[in-house]
Amino acid sequence: YDTSEVNDDPMRLVPLDVLRELEARGVVRKLNQTLYSTTGVATTIEYSQKIGSALAERLKADGVDAVILTST
């Protein structure tokens, strides 16, 4: 996986600039205050499931309706 473009411009991975523009135009109602990031290298499936469940609960508690999942 070539990360050179993301290293040059992190917005290629997490397009906060575009999302903030969409939020300002009313296309996206409101962005969550927290950006979540995890690592997957050498993470066990069991632990990944725990992380996913915990993040899902936090997002539900925050009233989040949609998420963007990106890979690296």
Side-chain angles (χ1 to χ4, degrees):
Y1 190 90
D2 182 2
T3 60
S4 59
E5 288 188 35
V6 172
N7 291 338
D8 290 341
D9 181 6
M11 295 296 178
R12 303 280 295 177
L13 182 63
V14 181
L16 284 175
D17 54 347
V18 174
L19 290 169
R20 286 186 178 128
E21 179 182 321
L22 292 173
E23 182 183 37
R25 292 185 4 216
V27 176
V28 171
R29 187 174 17 153
K30 180 162 177 41
L31 295 176
N32 195 30
Q33 294 296 315
T34 305
L35 172 76
Y36 294 98
S37 177
T38 65
T39 60
V41 177
T43 303
T44 65
I45 292 172
E46 181 180 276
Y47 193 66
S48 294
Q49 290 170 332
K50 284 176 128 176
I51 293 170
S53 293
L55 288 177
E57 289 304 316
R58 284 183 176 189
L59 292 167
K60 286 180 189 178
D62 286 347
V64 173
D65 295 324
V67 299
I68 295 176
L69 301 175
T70 61
S71 68
T72 56

